Coordinates of all heavy atoms in Angstrom, one line a residue:
A99 N 150.2 206.8 160.2 CA 151.4 207.7 160.5 C 151.6 207.8 162.0 O 150.7 207.5 162.8 CB 151.2 209.0 159.9
L100 N 152.8 208.2 162.4 CA 153.1 208.5 163.8 C 152.8 210.0 163.8 O 153.0 210.8 162.9 CB 154.5 208.3 164.1 CG 154.9 206.8 164.0 CD1 156.5 206.7 164.2 CD2 154.2 205.9 165.0
K101 N 152.2 210.5 165.0 CA 151.6 211.8 164.9 C 152.0 212.8 166.1 O 151.4 213.8 166.3 CB 150.1 211.7 164.9 CG 149.5 211.0 166.1 CD 148.0 211.2 166.3 CE 147.5 210.5 167.5 NZ 146.1 210.7 167.7
S102 N 152.9 212.3 166.9 CA 153.3 213.2 168.1 C 154.4 214.2 167.7 O 155.5 213.8 167.4 CB 153.7 212.3 169.2 OG 154.4 213.1 170.1
V103 N 154.0 215.5 167.7 CA 155.0 216.5 167.4 C 156.2 216.4 168.3 O 157.3 216.4 167.8 CB 154.3 217.9 167.5 CG1 155.3 219.0 167.3 CG2 153.2 218.1 166.5
G104 N 156.0 216.3 169.6 CA 157.1 216.2 170.6 C 158.0 215.1 170.3 O 159.2 215.2 170.3
E105 N 157.4 213.9 170.1 CA 158.2 212.7 169.9 C 159.0 212.8 168.6 O 160.1 212.3 168.5 CB 157.3 211.5 169.8 CG 158.0 210.2 169.7 CD 157.0 209.0 169.6 OE1 156.2 209.0 168.6 OE2 157.1 208.0 170.3
S106 N 158.5 213.6 167.6 CA 159.2 213.7 166.3 C 160.5 214.5 166.5 O 161.4 214.3 165.7 CB 158.3 214.3 165.2 OG 158.2 215.7 165.4
W107 N 160.6 215.3 167.5 CA 161.9 216.0 167.8 C 162.9 215.0 168.4 O 164.1 215.1 168.1 CB 161.7 217.1 168.8 CG 161.0 218.3 168.2 CD1 159.7 218.7 168.4 CD2 161.6 219.3 167.3 NE1 159.4 219.8 167.7 CE2 160.5 220.2 167.0 CE3 162.8 219.4 166.7 CZ2 160.8 221.3 166.1 CZ3 163.1 220.5 165.9 CH2 162.0 221.5 165.6
Q108 N 162.4 214.0 169.1 CA 163.3 213.0 169.7 C 163.7 211.9 168.7 O 164.8 211.4 168.8 CB 162.6 212.3 170.9 CG 161.9 213.1 171.9 CD 162.8 214.2 172.5 OE1 164.0 213.9 172.8 NE2 162.3 215.4 172.7
K109 N 162.8 211.6 167.8 CA 163.1 210.5 166.9 C 162.7 210.9 165.4 O 161.9 210.3 164.8 CB 162.1 209.3 167.2 CG 162.3 208.8 168.6 CD 161.3 207.7 168.8 CE 161.2 207.1 170.2 NZ 160.1 206.2 170.4
P110 N 163.4 211.9 164.9 CA 163.1 212.4 163.6 C 163.2 211.3 162.5 O 162.3 211.2 161.6 CB 164.1 213.5 163.3 CG 165.2 213.4 164.3 CD 164.5 212.7 165.5
L111 N 164.2 210.5 162.6 CA 164.4 209.4 161.5 C 163.3 208.4 161.6 O 162.8 207.9 160.5 CB 165.7 208.8 161.6 CG 166.9 209.7 161.2 CD1 168.2 209.1 161.6 CD2 166.9 210.0 159.7
T112 N 162.8 208.1 162.8 CA 161.7 207.2 162.9 C 160.4 207.8 162.2 O 159.7 207.1 161.5 CB 161.4 206.9 164.4 OG1 162.5 206.4 165.0 CG2 160.2 206.0 164.6
Y113 N 160.2 209.1 162.4 CA 159.1 209.7 161.8 C 159.3 209.8 160.2 O 158.4 209.6 159.5 CB 158.9 211.1 162.4 CG 158.0 211.0 163.6 CD1 158.4 210.3 164.7 CD2 156.7 211.5 163.6 CE1 157.6 210.2 165.8 CE2 155.8 211.4 164.7 CZ 156.3 210.7 165.8 OH 155.4 210.5 166.8
F114 N 160.5 210.1 159.8 CA 160.7 210.2 158.3 C 160.4 208.8 157.7 O 159.8 208.7 156.7 CB 162.2 210.6 158.0 CG 162.5 212.0 158.5 CD1 163.9 212.3 158.6 CD2 161.6 212.9 158.9 CE1 164.3 213.6 159.1 CE2 162.0 214.2 159.3 CZ 163.3 214.5 159.5
D115 N 161.0 207.8 158.4 CA 160.8 206.4 157.8 C 159.3 206.0 157.8 O 158.8 205.6 156.8 CB 161.6 205.5 158.6 CG 161.6 204.1 158.1 OD1 161.5 203.9 156.8 OD2 161.5 203.1 158.8
N116 N 158.7 206.1 159.0 CA 157.3 205.7 159.0 C 156.4 206.5 158.1 O 155.6 205.9 157.3 CB 156.8 205.8 160.5 CG 155.6 204.9 160.7 OD1 155.6 203.7 160.8 ND2 154.4 205.5 160.7
N117 N 156.5 207.8 158.2 CA 155.5 208.6 157.5 C 155.8 208.9 156.1 O 154.9 208.9 155.2 CB 155.4 210.0 158.2 CG 154.8 209.8 159.7 OD1 154.6 208.7 160.1 ND2 154.5 210.9 160.3
I118 N 157.1 209.1 155.7 CA 157.4 209.4 154.3 C 157.7 208.1 153.6 O 157.0 207.8 152.5 CB 158.7 210.3 154.2 CG1 158.4 211.6 155.0 CG2 159.0 210.6 152.7 CD1 159.6 212.5 155.1
S119 N 158.5 207.2 154.1 CA 158.8 205.9 153.4 C 157.5 205.1 153.3 O 157.2 204.5 152.3 CB 159.8 205.1 154.1 OG 161.0 205.8 154.3
G120 N 156.7 205.1 154.4 CA 155.4 204.4 154.4 C 154.5 204.9 153.3 O 153.9 204.1 152.6
T121 N 154.5 206.2 153.1 CA 153.6 206.8 152.0 C 154.1 206.4 150.6 O 153.3 206.0 149.7 CB 153.5 208.3 152.2 OG1 153.0 208.6 153.5 CG2 152.6 208.9 151.1
I122 N 155.5 206.4 150.5 CA 156.0 206.0 149.2 C 155.7 204.5 148.9 O 155.3 204.2 147.8 CB 157.5 206.3 149.1 CG1 157.8 207.8 149.2 CG2 158.2 205.7 147.9 CD1 159.3 208.2 149.4
V123 N 156.0 203.7 149.8 CA 155.8 202.2 149.6 C 154.3 202.0 149.3 O 154.0 201.3 148.3 CB 156.2 201.4 150.8 CG1 155.8 199.9 150.6 CG2 157.7 201.5 151.0
L124 N 153.4 202.6 150.0 CA 152.0 202.5 149.8 C 151.6 202.9 148.3 O 150.9 202.2 147.6 CB 151.2 203.2 150.8 CG 149.7 203.2 150.7 CD1 149.1 201.8 150.7 CD2 149.1 204.0 151.9
M125 N 152.1 204.1 147.9 CA 151.8 204.5 146.6 C 152.4 203.6 145.5 O 151.8 203.4 144.4 CB 152.2 206.0 146.4 CG 151.4 206.9 147.3 SD 151.7 208.7 146.9 CE 153.4 209.0 147.1
Q126 N 153.6 203.1 145.8 CA 154.2 202.1 144.9 C 153.3 200.9 144.7 O 153.0 200.4 143.5 CB 155.6 201.6 145.4 CG 156.7 202.6 145.0 CD 158.0 202.2 145.7 OE1 158.0 201.6 146.8 NE2 159.1 202.6 145.1
E127 N 152.8 200.4 145.8 CA 152.0 199.1 145.7 C 150.6 199.4 145.1 O 150.0 198.6 144.4 CB 151.9 198.5 147.1 CG 153.2 197.9 147.6 CD 153.9 197.0 146.5 OE1 153.2 196.2 145.9 OE2 155.1 197.2 146.4

Side-chain angles (χ1 to χ4, degrees):
L100 300 174
K101 63 166 179 177
S102 163
V103 172
E105 189 185 51
S106 77
W107 286 105
Q108 312 305 320
K109 303 178 184 170
L111 288 167
T112 303
Y113 272 67
F114 297 162
D115 182 38
N116 198 78
N117 296 6
I118 302 172
S119 306
T121 302
I122 295 172
V123 172
L124 179 55
M125 294 193 301
Q126 277 172 331
E127 291 312 315

